[in-house]
């Protein structure tokens, strides 16, 4: 580990987050951007306490956050070290809520139905309603598959072929999620709780194979849809289908850093370019 710890920054006295959370955020950023490499030893608790002007208990709480996230390991008598494997699945909801701490919120989503996004947004929007979060603007774009068009997935398992009845079920799921996102965000604008709200949904005719979230053009969460065989009720009859499972799918996190050549920065930029290319070419308006 380098002796120069300036990249760890200082605490922001105007930040409403607790000092332990701020310290955890700074250490996490250093780990994910490889300023602290896998296997590196973190500064000692006394060093961190002195650097940030806090008590050692505050530093302990910060390190516990990182240990719970499996970013670091602690060794008795030796200190804390960056885990050898830091690319891990993450939960979306707290990152969505953190995005809403900004004055301007932008979220781009591409995937199957947007159910996970709808549910993750619900918690953040509830906090806006009660005044705990107060963004000035919210802009959401949703890019989903048009289940009225023939698809490779989902499909009937017996024939491995497109089936209108299977797609009709998927279309209901898709519309529920898309309409929920549209209604939830628009309501905040109608109530005057957010100065500017805009939600747009577009569709395309490609099968959804992965989900992608782009938050404020700075963070990306990416995950694959596993294809599974399962039995569902279609028109009252049990039917075996090949389905896309999006609930609880592992999401992997990439973030923009000060280094334009870093893996995170490049992945975010490539994701943005891919989304814009789809949005501006083969995607068309959703008629809810």
């Amino acid at each position: 580990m380098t002796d120069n710890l300036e990249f760890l920054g200082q605490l922001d006295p105007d930040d409403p987050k607790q000092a332990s959370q701020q310290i955890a955020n700074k250490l996490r950023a250093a780990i994910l951007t490889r300023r602290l490499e896998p296997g590196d030893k973190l500064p000692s608790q006394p060093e961190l306490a002195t650097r940030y002007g806090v008590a050692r208990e505050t530093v302990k709480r910060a390190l516990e956050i990182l240990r719970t996230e499996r970013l670091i390991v602690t060794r008795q008598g030796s200190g804390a070290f960056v885990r050898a494997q830091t690319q891990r699945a993450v939960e979306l909801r707290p990152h969505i809520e953190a995005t809403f701490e900004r004055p301007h919120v932008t979220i781009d989503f591409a995937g199957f139905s947007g159910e996970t996004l709808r549910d993750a947004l619900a918690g953040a929007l509830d906090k806006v309603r009660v005044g705990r979060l107060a963004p000035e603007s919210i802009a959401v774009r949703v890019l989903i598959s048009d289940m009225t068009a023939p698809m490779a997935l989902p499909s009937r398992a017996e024939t491995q072929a497109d089936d209108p009845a299977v797609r009709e079920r998927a279309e209901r799921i898709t519309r529920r999620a898309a309409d929920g996102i549209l209604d939830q965000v628009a309501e905040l604008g109608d109530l005057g709780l957010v100065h500017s709200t805009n939600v747009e949904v577009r569709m395309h005719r490609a099968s959804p194979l992965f989900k992608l979230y782009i938050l404020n053009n700075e963070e990306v969460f990416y995950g694959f849809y596993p294809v599974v065989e399962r039995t569902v009720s279609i028109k009252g009859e049990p039917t075996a289908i090949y389905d896309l499972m999006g609930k609880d799918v592992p999401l992997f996190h990439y973030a923009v850093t000060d280094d334009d050549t870093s893996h995170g920065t490049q992945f975010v930029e490539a994701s943005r370019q891919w989304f814009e290319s789809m949005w501006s070419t083969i995607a068309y308006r959703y008629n809810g």
Side-chain angles (χ1 to χ4, degrees):
M1 183 189 69
T2 178
D3 291 330
N4 182 4
L5 301 179
E6 289 303 311
F7 63 88
L8 290 179
Q10 301 291 338
L11 300 186
D12 180 357
D14 296 323
D15 192 327
K17 290 189 286 293
Q18 294 182 347
S20 58
Q21 184 63 62
Q22 287 193 58
I23 295 170
N25 290 349
K26 292 182 181 300
L27 290 170
R28 184 190 302 108
I31 292 169
L32 294 178
T33 58
R34 297 300 181 99
R35 301 300 296 270
L36 290 171
E37 297 278 355
D40 274 356
K41 183 179 179 180
L42 271 65
S44 68
Q45 291 182 21
E47 288 174 327
L48 289 171
T50 298
R51 174 169 191 81
Y52 293 117
V54 298
R56 285 186 62 179
E57 284 301 316
T58 300
V59 172
K60 284 183 180 179
R61 289 195 294 272
L63 296 179
E64 181 59 24
I65 292 171
L66 300 180
R67 191 184 68 78
T68 301
E69 294 177 356
R70 299 181 60 81
L71 278 174
I72 66 171
V73 293
T74 53
R75 300 171 188 163
Q76 189 171 6
S78 299
F81 295 80
V82 180
R83 275 186 179 271
Q85 178 62 36
T86 59
Q87 185 58 283
R88 72 213 191 282
V90 296
E91 183 186 354
L92 181 66
R93 186 183 299 268
H95 292 273
I96 292 283
E97 293 192 3
T99 300
F100 273 74
E101 295 175 359
R102 301 281 193 89
H104 303 288
V105 178
T106 65
I107 299 175
D108 292 334
F109 166 78
F112 174 34
S113 70
E115 281 185 299
T116 301
L117 175 61
R118 178 197 62 196
D119 296 343
L121 278 172
L125 298 180
D126 282 343
K127 291 184 177 181
V128 174
R129 290 186 186 94
V130 299
R132 292 177 60 189
L133 295 171
E136 297 173 20
S137 68
I138 302 173
V140 180
R141 295 189 297 179
V142 177
L143 186 61
I144 53 178
S145 298
D146 184 351
M147 287 295 153
T148 65
M151 290 278 164
L153 289 167
S155 63
R156 188 177 289 267
E158 182 181 3
T159 61
Q160 299 184 23
D162 173 72
D163 187 305
V166 173
R167 281 191 285 104
E168 183 180 346
R169 172 184 173 274
E171 184 190 5
R172 289 197 302 272
I173 296 171
T174 298
R175 286 188 174 275
R176 267 200 314 268
D179 292 343
I181 294 169
L182 286 163
D183 293 342
Q184 286 181 107
V185 177
E187 180 191 35
L188 297 183
D190 294 340
L191 293 173
L193 298 175
V194 178
H195 177 69
S196 172
T197 61
N198 182 63
V199 185
E200 189 173 358
V201 180
R202 292 187 185 181
M203 312 183 81
H204 58 84
R205 293 186 175 88
S207 291
L209 299 177
F210 60 86
K211 57 169 60 178
L212 174 74
Y213 305 85
I214 306 174
L215 309 185
N216 279 349
N217 289 320
E218 296 175 353
E219 294 182 278
V220 162
F221 296 83
Y222 181 90
F224 295 99
Y225 288 122
V227 179
V228 299
E229 181 176 349
R230 67 193 191 108
T231 300
V232 299
S233 177
I234 295 180
K235 296 183 178 180
E237 296 293 329
T239 305
I241 67 171
Y242 286 138
D243 203 6
L244 299 148
M245 297 301 293
K247 185 175 175 57
D248 299 325
V249 65
L251 291 176
F252 295 93
H253 180 211
Y254 302 86
V256 170
T257 72
D258 292 334
D259 181 1
D260 291 342
T261 65
S262 73
H263 182 63
T265 299
Q266 292 187 49
F267 194 92
V268 172
E269 182 58 29
S271 299
R272 291 178 56 210
Q273 290 179 5
W274 176 86
F275 188 94
E276 294 295 344
S277 70
M278 290 285 289
W279 188 264
S280 62
T281 57
I282 66 172
Y284 45 90
R285 185 176 178 179
Y286 165 77
N287 293 314

